[in-house]
Each structure stands twice: as C-alpha cells, then as structure tokens.
Amino acid sequence: MKCEKWRALKIDFKAKRAISEIQDAEADVTFIHKATGKKISMPAFWNGKCDWAVRAALTETGEWDYLVFCNDGSLGLDGISG
C-alpha cells in the first residue's frame, strides 16, 4: 500500500469467527517500509463480532507492506498481509 507521511490510515480485517469479549484475543500489525525496511508495530482493535481494524500514521512516504500477528489462530487473522 502506498501512503503519505503522518497521514492517518485505517485497515479493516474480518475474522473467521466472532469473539464474545475483547479480552479473548489480541492482534498486532507490523508495517514494513519497502525501501528502507523500517518496521512499525501497532495494536489492532476488535470492532465487534468478526470485525477488527488497525489505525496508523506511518512515518515515511512510500510503499509499505503489513503483516498481522494474532494470538488466537482460530480467528484466521494471523498471517494476513498486504
């Protein structure tokens, strides 16, 4: 994904199943700048039912990849990338 420096962005994710409480699972998203290799990790948040999202304002312009890490494999979030 291409982004501007310090410009807020939001990425939405769909889990394979809903969770009943926010404490049931945790997810983090690591952003990697394609040119410099700089990494920034941000916590994702549960947004109800199967909906998850992350918001970030990245520190460099250009192309970034992202990778989701989740402590609950049954949600299907772990390993989502873009």
Side-chain angles (χ1 to χ4, degrees), residues 33-51:
H33 192 272
K34 284 187 174 185
T36 66
K38 181 174 185 159
K39 293 182 181 180
I40 298 172
S41 291
M42 299 294 297
F45 59 91
W46 178 61
N47 209 15
K49 298 183 183 178
C50 295
D51 298 328

mmCIF file of all heavy atoms in Angstrom, residues 33-51:
data_model
loop_
_atom_site.group_PDB
_atom_site.id
_atom_site.type_symbol
_atom_site.label_atom_id
_atom_site.label_comp_id
_atom_site.label_asym_id
_atom_site.label_seq_id
_atom_site.Cartn_x
_atom_site.Cartn_y
_atom_site.Cartn_z
ATOM 1 N N HIS A 33 8.376 -0.729 5.687
ATOM 2 C CA HIS A 33 8.611 0.157 4.541
ATOM 3 C C HIS A 33 9.437 -0.594 3.512
ATOM 4 O O HIS A 33 10.484 -1.158 3.825
ATOM 5 C CB HIS A 33 9.337 1.423 5.000
ATOM 6 C CG HIS A 33 9.360 2.493 3.965
ATOM 7 N ND1 HIS A 33 10.347 2.581 3.019
ATOM 8 C CD2 HIS A 33 8.502 3.511 3.717
ATOM 9 C CE1 HIS A 33 10.112 3.619 2.236
ATOM 10 N NE2 HIS A 33 8.996 4.204 2.635
ATOM 11 N N LYS A 34 8.964 -0.637 2.272
ATOM 12 C CA LYS A 34 9.617 -1.441 1.233
ATOM 13 C C LYS A 34 11.032 -0.963 0.909
ATOM 14 O O LYS A 34 11.919 -1.775 0.658
ATOM 15 C CB LYS A 34 8.771 -1.453 -0.041
ATOM 16 C CG LYS A 34 7.567 -2.346 0.054
ATOM 17 C CD LYS A 34 6.870 -2.454 -1.288
ATOM 18 C CE LYS A 34 5.742 -3.455 -1.223
ATOM 19 N NZ LYS A 34 5.133 -3.656 -2.538
ATOM 20 N N ALA A 35 11.261 0.334 0.912
ATOM 21 C CA ALA A 35 12.576 0.850 0.511
ATOM 22 C C ALA A 35 13.586 0.829 1.656
ATOM 23 O O ALA A 35 14.745 0.485 1.457
ATOM 24 C CB ALA A 35 12.437 2.263 -0.038
ATOM 25 N N THR A 36 13.162 1.193 2.862
ATOM 26 C CA THR A 36 14.105 1.343 3.968
ATOM 27 C C THR A 36 14.118 0.157 4.929
ATOM 28 O O THR A 36 15.048 0.011 5.710
ATOM 29 C CB THR A 36 13.786 2.606 4.794
ATOM 30 O OG1 THR A 36 12.516 2.428 5.441
ATOM 31 C CG2 THR A 36 13.786 3.845 3.921
ATOM 32 N N GLY A 37 13.066 -0.658 4.904
ATOM 33 C CA GLY A 37 12.968 -1.781 5.835
ATOM 34 C C GLY A 37 12.506 -1.388 7.225
ATOM 35 O O GLY A 37 12.420 -2.231 8.122
ATOM 36 N N LYS A 38 12.203 -0.109 7.423
ATOM 37 C CA LYS A 38 11.747 0.349 8.737
ATOM 38 C C LYS A 38 10.467 -0.390 9.122
ATOM 39 O O LYS A 38 9.576 -0.580 8.294
ATOM 40 C CB LYS A 38 11.490 1.848 8.706
ATOM 41 C CG LYS A 38 11.044 2.388 10.047
ATOM 42 C CD LYS A 38 10.921 3.888 10.053
ATOM 43 C CE LYS A 38 10.603 4.327 11.460
ATOM 44 N NZ LYS A 38 10.937 5.710 11.688
ATOM 45 N N LYS A 39 10.387 -0.793 10.406
ATOM 46 C CA LYS A 39 9.220 -1.523 10.899
ATOM 47 C C LYS A 39 8.524 -0.723 11.994
ATOM 48 O O LYS A 39 9.176 -0.130 12.846
ATOM 49 C CB LYS A 39 9.630 -2.876 11.468
ATOM 50 C CG LYS A 39 10.156 -3.829 10.429
ATOM 51 C CD LYS A 39 10.507 -5.169 11.050
ATOM 52 C CE LYS A 39 11.057 -6.115 9.990
ATOM 53 N NZ LYS A 39 11.397 -7.423 10.564
ATOM 54 N N ILE A 40 7.207 -0.727 11.921
ATOM 55 C CA ILE A 40 6.383 -0.087 12.945
ATOM 56 C C ILE A 40 5.269 -1.065 13.288
ATOM 57 O O ILE A 40 4.570 -1.552 12.402
ATOM 58 C CB ILE A 40 5.777 1.238 12.446
ATOM 59 C CG1 ILE A 40 6.875 2.236 12.106
ATOM 60 C CG2 ILE A 40 4.796 1.806 13.463
ATOM 61 C CD1 ILE A 40 6.391 3.495 11.437
ATOM 62 N N SER A 41 5.110 -1.355 14.568
ATOM 63 C CA SER A 41 4.037 -2.253 15.007
ATOM 64 C C SER A 41 2.964 -1.467 15.741
ATOM 65 O O SER A 41 3.271 -0.584 16.551
ATOM 66 C CB SER A 41 4.588 -3.340 15.920
ATOM 67 O OG SER A 41 5.400 -4.220 15.185
ATOM 68 N N MET A 42 1.723 -1.795 15.437
ATOM 69 C CA MET A 42 0.571 -1.145 16.064
ATOM 70 C C MET A 42 -0.420 -2.223 16.483
ATOM 71 O O MET A 42 -0.605 -3.212 15.765
ATOM 72 C CB MET A 42 -0.129 -0.205 15.069
ATOM 73 C CG MET A 42 0.716 0.923 14.538
ATOM 74 S SD MET A 42 1.178 2.118 15.787
ATOM 75 C CE MET A 42 -0.394 2.760 16.259
ATOM 76 N N PRO A 43 -1.080 -2.030 17.620
ATOM 77 C CA PRO A 43 -2.115 -2.996 18.006
ATOM 78 C C PRO A 43 -3.357 -2.817 17.136
ATOM 79 O O PRO A 43 -3.756 -1.698 16.826
ATOM 80 C CB PRO A 43 -2.409 -2.650 19.466
ATOM 81 C CG PRO A 43 -2.011 -1.212 19.605
ATOM 82 C CD PRO A 43 -0.891 -0.996 18.633
ATOM 83 N N ALA A 44 -3.933 -3.931 16.729
ATOM 84 C CA ALA A 44 -5.236 -3.898 16.068
ATOM 85 C C ALA A 44 -6.290 -3.875 17.173
ATOM 86 O O ALA A 44 -6.004 -4.196 18.323
ATOM 87 C CB ALA A 44 -5.406 -5.119 15.181
ATOM 88 N N PHE A 45 -7.493 -3.499 16.827
ATOM 89 C CA PHE A 45 -8.558 -3.485 17.828
ATOM 90 C C PHE A 45 -9.780 -4.225 17.318
ATOM 91 O O PHE A 45 -10.061 -4.261 16.122
ATOM 92 C CB PHE A 45 -8.912 -2.055 18.265
ATOM 93 C CG PHE A 45 -9.363 -1.154 17.154
ATOM 94 C CD1 PHE A 45 -10.710 -1.040 16.835
ATOM 95 C CD2 PHE A 45 -8.447 -0.409 16.436
ATOM 96 C CE1 PHE A 45 -11.134 -0.201 15.815
ATOM 97 C CE2 PHE A 45 -8.855 0.443 15.422
ATOM 98 C CZ PHE A 45 -10.208 0.539 15.107
ATOM 99 N N TRP A 46 -10.454 -4.849 18.256
ATOM 100 C CA TRP A 46 -11.694 -5.557 17.967
ATOM 101 C C TRP A 46 -12.779 -4.511 17.811
ATOM 102 O O TRP A 46 -12.909 -3.594 18.624
ATOM 103 C CB TRP A 46 -12.002 -6.506 19.114
ATOM 104 C CG TRP A 46 -13.272 -7.260 18.988
ATOM 105 C CD1 TRP A 46 -13.620 -8.138 18.013
ATOM 106 C CD2 TRP A 46 -14.363 -7.227 19.905
ATOM 107 N NE1 TRP A 46 -14.863 -8.666 18.260
ATOM 108 C CE2 TRP A 46 -15.348 -8.114 19.420
ATOM 109 C CE3 TRP A 46 -14.616 -6.546 21.078
ATOM 110 C CZ2 TRP A 46 -16.555 -8.331 20.078
ATOM 111 C CZ3 TRP A 46 -15.809 -6.759 21.736
ATOM 112 C CH2 TRP A 46 -16.762 -7.642 21.225
ATOM 113 N N ASN A 47 -13.575 -4.636 16.762
ATOM 114 C CA ASN A 47 -14.594 -3.641 16.453
ATOM 115 C C ASN A 47 -15.991 -4.263 16.468
ATOM 116 O O ASN A 47 -16.896 -3.780 15.808
ATOM 117 C CB ASN A 47 -14.284 -3.020 15.079
ATOM 118 C CG ASN A 47 -14.779 -1.604 14.956
ATOM 119 O OD1 ASN A 47 -15.106 -0.964 15.950
ATOM 120 N ND2 ASN A 47 -14.845 -1.108 13.739
ATOM 121 N N GLY A 48 -16.129 -5.378 17.195
ATOM 122 C CA GLY A 48 -17.414 -6.050 17.314
ATOM 123 C C GLY A 48 -17.549 -7.222 16.363
ATOM 124 O O GLY A 48 -17.054 -7.197 15.240
ATOM 125 N N LYS A 49 -18.177 -8.283 16.841
ATOM 126 C CA LYS A 49 -18.433 -9.509 16.077
ATOM 127 C C LYS A 49 -17.149 -10.020 15.427
ATOM 128 O O LYS A 49 -16.223 -10.406 16.112
ATOM 129 C CB LYS A 49 -19.546 -9.308 15.076
ATOM 130 C CG LYS A 49 -20.869 -8.974 15.733
ATOM 131 C CD LYS A 49 -21.970 -8.863 14.723
ATOM 132 C CE LYS A 49 -23.260 -8.453 15.451
ATOM 133 N NZ LYS A 49 -24.355 -8.283 14.545
ATOM 134 N N CYS A 50 -17.079 -10.037 14.101
ATOM 135 C CA CYS A 50 -15.897 -10.535 13.370
ATOM 136 C C CYS A 50 -14.995 -9.408 12.876
ATOM 137 O O CYS A 50 -14.028 -9.658 12.157
ATOM 138 C CB CYS A 50 -16.346 -11.370 12.165
ATOM 139 S SG CYS A 50 -17.204 -12.874 12.588
ATOM 140 N N ASP A 51 -15.304 -8.190 13.229
ATOM 141 C CA ASP A 51 -14.603 -7.029 12.682
ATOM 142 C C ASP A 51 -13.407 -6.617 13.540
ATOM 143 O O ASP A 51 -13.530 -6.453 14.748
ATOM 144 C CB ASP A 51 -15.565 -5.849 12.551
ATOM 145 C CG ASP A 51 -16.707 -6.140 11.609
ATOM 146 O OD1 ASP A 51 -16.509 -6.897 10.639
ATOM 147 O OD2 ASP A 51 -17.806 -5.612 11.842
#
